[in-house]
Amino acid sequence: MTTLTDPAVPGATATPTDAAPRRRGYGRLWAGLPRELGYLLLGFPVALVAFVTLVTLFSTGVSLLVVVVGLAIVVAALYAARGFGVLELVRLEWAGRPAIRRPRWDRPVIAGDGPWRAFFAPFVDGHYWLYLLHGMVVAPIVSLFSWTVTVVWVSIALGGITYWIWAVFLPNDSRDVWPAEWLLDRIAPGTSDTLALDPLVLESIAQFVLGAVFLLTLPLVAAGLTWMHDGIGRGILGAWRSEALERQVEQLSASRGAAVQAEDAALRRLERDIHDGPQQRLVRLQMDLAAIERKLDADPEAAKGLLGEARDQARDTLDELRALSRGFAPPLLQDRGLASALESLAARSPVPVELEWLLPADAALPAAIERNAYFIAAELLTNAAKHSGASAVRLRVAERDTGATGRWLDLWVTDNGRGGAAAVPGHGLAGLDERVRGLGGVLLVDSPAGGPTVIGAHFPSTPVDRVSA
C-alpha cells in the first residue's frame, strides 16, 4: 500500500508545533550541545546585524514621515524585522527546539481592497511591531547576555582542562601569587605547606578541576540559554491563540460549504437520474396502460402484446429504482454494520475486490460515519470499475488514534489500472472530495500515468456536529 502524507490530515504528519519540549537526559544534552553552541555563538552577531539594520531603517523612516518616502522606509523596516524574526525561528529549529507556529501573514483579501490597503497592512498587524521590538530591543540584550555567558563558560572549561599543557610556557619564575594556593590558605591555613606541592602543580590541579566542573555543566547551561531564547521566541514571534481559532473557523466554514455543495450536487444528480430514467418509463407505462384499455374489447390479442410490453417496462423501472436506491443506506448497513455492507459491495463489483478490514471486531462506529464511509467506498469502487480499466482492486479500511485530534478513519482504494485519475471540477472525484471535506477530512489522490491508482479518504471517525454529514 502506497503511503501518502498530507499536512491537512491531522496526525498524518504528527509534528507538534507548540508542544512543550520533552525532557532530555544528560547524554541527550551532550548530543544536542554542538547545535546549541552554534546557535548561541552566532546569536549575538546576527542580533547585532539586525539591530543596526532595523534602527537605521526605522529611525530614517520616522525622521522622513513628513514625506511619502518615510512611510515606505518604515514599511521596509517592518518587513526587515519580519525577515530577521523568521530567521530566528529557523535558527531555533536548527538548534533542536520544537517548531514554533508562525503568525499568519497572508491575510484574506477583501473585495474592494486597493493597493494602499495592502501597503498599510503591516501598520495594523501587531506581529510586525512585535518582530520589530524583538529585533531592536529584545534580541540584542538577550543575545549579548547568552553570548557572553557561553563564551565565558566555554573558555573556562577548555582553558581549565588544558592549563597543564600551556602553563609551562608562561613566565612563572617571577610569579608571587598563585590563585589556587592563595585560596587554599584562606580556606584552610597551612594546607599548602602540608601538601608540599609545587605551586605550578597545585595550580594545574585546581585549574583542571575547575575546567572539568564547567565542562560537565556546559550542556546544562547551553540547554538553559537556548530554552530562554525559545521561550522568548514563542512569546514574541509565535502566533496567537486567536489566530488558531480563526483558522479553525475558516476550515469549518469551508467544510460546511463543501458539505452543502456535495449534498446539492447529489440531489441534482438524483433528480436528473429519476427524470431521465424511471420517470420516462412510468410515462411510457401509463401510455401503454391507456392503449391496453382502448384495445381490450376491440383487439384482445393486441392488448395482450401491450400487456407484455407494460410488464417489461415495469420490470425495467423497478431495476432502475433499485440501482438508484444504492445511493441511500442499504438495509444491510443498518442491520449488520459497515464491514458486512462493504463485503456485499465488494462482492457486487464487476472488478474483483480484495477487502482488508483492519478495525477491531468490536469496533462500533457512529451511524453517520458508517453511512458516509459506505457512500465513499461505493463511489470509489464505481469509479475504478468504470474508468480505470483495472483487473483487481483492493479496499482497505483502518482506524488510527492521532492523539489531540481524536480518532480518524482511513479508507484506501488501490487499483492496477491505467492511472491518470484527477479531481476535475464537475466530475466524480471532485464531488467526492467535497463530501470528504464536508466531513472535516481530506481526499488524497496518487494516480500517475500507467498506474497504479491510490486514493485515500481520511475523516474523523466521530460525527462533526458543526458540519452536516
Side-chain angles (χ1 to χ4, degrees), residues 126-217:
H127 284 296
Y128 281 95
W129 296 102
L130 285 176
Y131 274 52
L132 184 66
L133 175 67
H134 180 270
M136 290 179 57
V137 180
V138 178
I141 297 174
V142 177
S143 297
L144 176 61
F145 169 76
S146 61
W147 183 84
T148 303
V149 172
T150 302
V151 170
V152 170
W153 216 273
V154 172
S155 301
I156 294 177
L158 298 180
I161 62 176
T162 60
Y163 180 82
W164 59 277
I165 298 176
W166 50 270
V168 295
F169 300 102
L170 298 177
N172 297 318
D173 297 337
S174 59
R175 246 178 113 170
D176 297 329
V177 178
W178 298 87
E181 186 179 50
W182 178 87
L183 181 62
L184 189 61
D185 287 336
R186 293 300 179 275
I187 296 175
T191 304
S192 58
D193 296 334
T194 304
L195 294 175
L197 291 176
D198 184 87
L200 180 59
V201 175
L202 182 62
E203 187 71 20
S204 299
I205 294 174
Q207 291 284 354
F208 185 85
V209 172
L210 181 64
V213 171
F214 272 72
L215 184 63
L216 292 175
T217 56

Side-chain angles (χ1 to χ4, degrees), residues 7 23 30 125 215 219 273 289 310 333 347 390 405 454:
R23 186 173 298 176
W30 272 103
D125 191 338
L215 184 63
D273 292 342
L289 291 174
L333 176 63
T405 56
V454 181

Side-chain angles (χ1 to χ4, degrees), residues 97-141:
R97 307 302 302 176
I100 299 175
R101 185 183 292 113
R102 312 291 176 83
R104 183 176 182 179
W105 304 109
D106 54 335
R107 295 293 175 179
V109 179
I110 302 175
D113 288 353
W116 285 107
R117 185 179 184 88
F119 176 80
F120 285 106
F123 286 98
V124 297
D125 191 338
H127 284 296
Y128 281 95
W129 296 102
L130 285 176
Y131 274 52
L132 184 66
L133 175 67
H134 180 270
M136 290 179 57
V137 180
V138 178
I141 297 174

Side-chain angles (χ1 to χ4, degrees), residues 255 259 369 372 376 434-441 459-460 464 467-469:
S255 298
I369 298 302
N372 282 284
I376 294 170
E434 291 180 352
R435 176 183 286 275
V436 175
R437 287 193 292 114
L439 297 172
F459 50 91
V464 181
V467 179
S468 174

Side-chain angles (χ1 to χ4, degrees), residues 326 328-349 353 355 357 365 367 369-379 381 395 397 411:
R326 292 174 184 173
F328 302 96
L332 183 62
L333 176 63
Q334 301 175 3
D335 298 338
R336 300 182 58 183
L338 180 60
S340 298
L342 292 180
E343 289 178 358
S344 175
L345 190 65
R348 295 198 310 268
S349 174
V353 177
L355 175 62
W357 180 266
L365 296 174
I369 298 302
E370 287 190 336
R371 185 172 65 253
N372 282 284
Y374 176 83
F375 291 154
I376 294 170
E379 184 73 17
L381 291 179
L395 172 62
V397 183
L411 196 152

Side-chain angles (χ1 to χ4, degrees), residues 31-50:
L33 180 62
R35 290 191 298 178
E36 292 172 347
L37 284 180
Y39 168 80
L40 294 171
L41 293 176
L42 289 176
F44 181 65
V46 173
L48 184 60
V49 172

